[in-house]
Amino acid sequence: MPESPIRKLVPYAEDAKKRGIEVFHLNIGQPDIKTPEVALEAIKNNTIKVLAYSRSEGSETYRAKIANYYAKNNIQVTADEIIVTTGGSEALLFAMGTIADVNDEIIIPEPFYANYNGFSIASGVKIVPVISKIEDNFALPPISEFEKLITSKTKAILICNPGNPTGYLYSKEEIQKLASIVKKHDLFLIADEVYREFVYDNESHQSVLSDFGLNNNAIIIDSVSKRYSMCGARIGCLVSKNKEVIRTALKFAQARLSPPTFAQIASEAALETPQSYFDEVIVEYKARRDILIAELSKIKGVKVARPKGAFYCVVELPVDNADTFAQWLLEDFNLNNQTVMVAPAAGFYSTPGIGMNQVRIAYVLKKEDLIKSVEILKVAIDKYNSL
């Protein structure tokens, strides 16, 4: 199993903190936004006497309410087309196990969420990357590049929309192109849509289960983690209108018995979160993005892609090796007893040697901390390159 590029530097960060150094965490998508009170109250005020198993596919009332949530987002599904999972991570594992046998292939535009590597290895599935470039803002590579990679072993194309780690938001035209190719080759289109709400610049999110004619081909991966700032709840879901996919995924769900009961109660309550909550969150994240991009652009030699969704961006630094630099930041550098923690981006690629001087930055800190973090980064780059 590969190490997580997001978490592998944690021991160095903990050591730095023990030395009295303040660490600004730009490495992980853990929002500092408060969890909706309605979700927390559902747990605090619960009168359950026996904490029992739930159904393997998740509680019926919760799935019915998820279906209502999707309907508001132009996604028409029923409760029977939803399987509640232990986070979006388990939904991805179920999806890979459902559609692919050992040594089958899934095509993924890279850079991609690092744990796709781990999920594929755990499932015995081979990731076939198609490279998107920072120069193109990580837009969808030409469909001809996908065509070249399709073989008898290819079972799916997997995208994250909006993207982690890039923040890229796929356009309607790009999803339409993907829809055409998966239907042409009878493949699945798996869409990790956990950042659906986080879209900026008056753009709109395009779900693969909206208006693309993909009822038999589309699988949505979803989660409450980022939407409601409930990463610790570990509740996600797999959604598909393909009955065979749901039947097969349910076998995986039965093998792990059931998703956690209390977390489903909190997640069900979270669906009552008012729109005003999201309106405020979007305004805050957009402001953070704009400040971060503006400050990073002031550093000589830095190249940054402009995200239109999620809360990440990929940054190309004027350093030889981002892994070494990220560790050095925690082990050997501080500015006024402060330093930053970033996620080296090489771990978001499966092609060896790509992304070696790139990092992912999550803008999940308040604006003044982001400004301070970039100041630290600028001084650190100058000092590192003079060693």
Side-chain angles (χ1 to χ4, degrees):
M1 288 292 285
E3 283 184 302
S4 166
I6 306 162
R7 293 174 177 266
K8 69 180 182 181
L9 294 172
V10 167
Y12 301 104
E14 295 305 315
D15 285 345
K17 291 173 189 175
K18 287 174 185 174
R19 298 195 307 274
I21 295 170
E22 183 181 8
V23 178
F24 291 106
H25 284 271
L26 304 175
N27 63 303
I28 194 163
Q30 170 59 63
D32 64 350
I33 305 293
K34 286 187 177 179
T35 303
E37 196 62 35
V38 66
L40 300 176
E41 287 298 324
I43 298 298
K44 291 175 187 173
N45 299 327
N46 204 279
T47 57
I48 285 178
K49 295 290 191 291
V50 177
L51 196 57
Y53 289 123
S54 71
R55 288 175 59 173
S56 292
E57 57 268 70
S59 93
E60 193 162 4
T61 58
Y62 179 38
R63 286 182 291 116
K65 288 182 182 178
I66 297 174
N68 289 336
Y69 156 80
Y70 283 130
K72 294 173 187 174
N73 287 274
N74 193 32
I75 302 167
Q76 305 303 323
V77 293
T78 66
D80 292 338
E81 293 165 338
I82 299 167
I83 292 178
V84 179
T85 57
T86 308
S89 300
E90 188 177 67
L92 278 157
L93 278 167
F94 286 2
M96 288 186 180
T98 293
I99 66 165
D101 291 319
V102 172
N103 296 324
D104 281 342
E105 298 172 353
I106 295 178
I107 299 172
I108 311 180
E110 63 176 356
F112 50 73
Y113 175 45
N115 283 334
Y116 293 167
N117 269 327
F119 301 144
S120 63
I121 287 170
S123 303
V125 174
K126 181 184 176 186
I127 286 178
V128 178
V130 54
I131 298 174
S132 61
K133 298 176 181 176
I134 195 168
E135 291 80 11
D136 302 326
N137 216 36
F138 297 110
L140 185 76
I143 286 296
S144 58
E145 295 300 306
F146 288 86
E147 290 269 12
K148 291 176 190 173
L149 300 172
I150 294 172
T151 71
S152 60
K153 289 282 189 182
T154 307
K155 292 296 181 284
I157 294 172
L158 167 59
I159 60 169
C160 186
N161 185 35
N164 175 7
T166 63
Y168 186 78
L169 180 71
Y170 289 99
S171 68
K172 188 170 186 177
E173 292 72 25
E174 287 173 319
I175 301 294
Q176 190 62 64
K177 287 177 181 178
L178 289 169
S180 297
I181 194 174
V182 297
K183 284 190 281 190
K184 176 183 175 183
H185 294 278
D186 192 24
L187 306 175
F188 288 100
L189 180 57
I190 305 172
D192 183 342
E193 297 185 356
V194 305
Y195 300 97
R196 182 184 297 108
E197 264 73 17
F198 304 102
V199 173
Y200 318 118
D201 306 330
N202 297 314
E203 299 280 356
S204 60
H205 178 261
Q206 303 292 326
S207 174
V208 294
L209 271 176
S210 289
D211 302 305
F212 298 100
L214 291 173
N215 284 3
N216 286 324
N217 303 77
I219 300 172
I220 289 177
I221 306 299
D222 214 338
S223 170
V224 306
S225 291
K226 311 303 162 90
R227 182 169 300 132
Y228 306 109
S229 197
M230 289 172 59
C231 295
R234 308 312 306 132
I235 291 291
C237 63
L238 179 152
V239 186
S240 181
K241 296 188 74 67
N242 184 312
K243 289 181 170 53
E244 194 175 356
V245 165
I246 292 296
R247 273 199 307 269
T248 307
L250 181 56
K251 296 175 187 176
F252 287 91
Q254 290 167 342
R256 63 83 164 99
L257 304 185
S258 66
T261 298
F262 260 136
Q264 285 182 85
I265 291 168
S267 300
E268 183 175 330
L271 288 167
E272 306 301 324
T273 302
Q275 183 59 39
S276 58
Y277 172 88
F278 298 108
D279 294 341
E280 291 172 14
V281 168
I282 294 304
V283 169
E284 177 63 24
Y285 276 133
K286 183 182 181 299
R288 292 178 181 187
R289 179 202 64 176
D290 292 347
I291 283 175
L292 177 67
I293 299 294
E295 294 301 310
L296 285 169
S297 299
K298 296 175 185 175
I299 304 177
K300 186 180 178 182
V302 162
K303 191 183 293 183
V304 57
R306 186 175 182 81
K308 288 195 173 183
F311 36 67
Y312 307 102
C313 64
V314 172
V315 185
E316 197 163 284
L317 302 176
V319 298
D320 55 352
N321 186 303
D323 267 285
T324 306
F325 176 65
Q327 187 171 329
W328 174 84
L329 280 170
L330 298 169
E331 278 194 309
D332 301 310
F333 176 81
N334 71 82
L335 180 66
N336 301 322
N337 244 24
Q338 296 174 320
T339 191
V340 296
M341 186 176 183
V342 294
F348 296 91
Y349 293 84
S350 62
T351 302
I354 303 289
M356 294 302 293
N357 62 341
Q358 296 176 354
V359 297
R360 185 193 75 171
I361 290 179
Y363 44 95
V364 292
L365 305 179
K366 56 188 179 182
K367 293 185 279 290
E368 50 266 42
D369 287 347
L370 288 173
I371 292 170
K372 200 177 295 182
S373 296
V374 178
E375 288 174 2
I376 293 168
L377 202 57
K378 181 181 186 302
V379 174
I381 289 169
D382 289 341
K383 183 170 182 182
Y384 180 81
N385 285 332
S386 67
L387 293 174

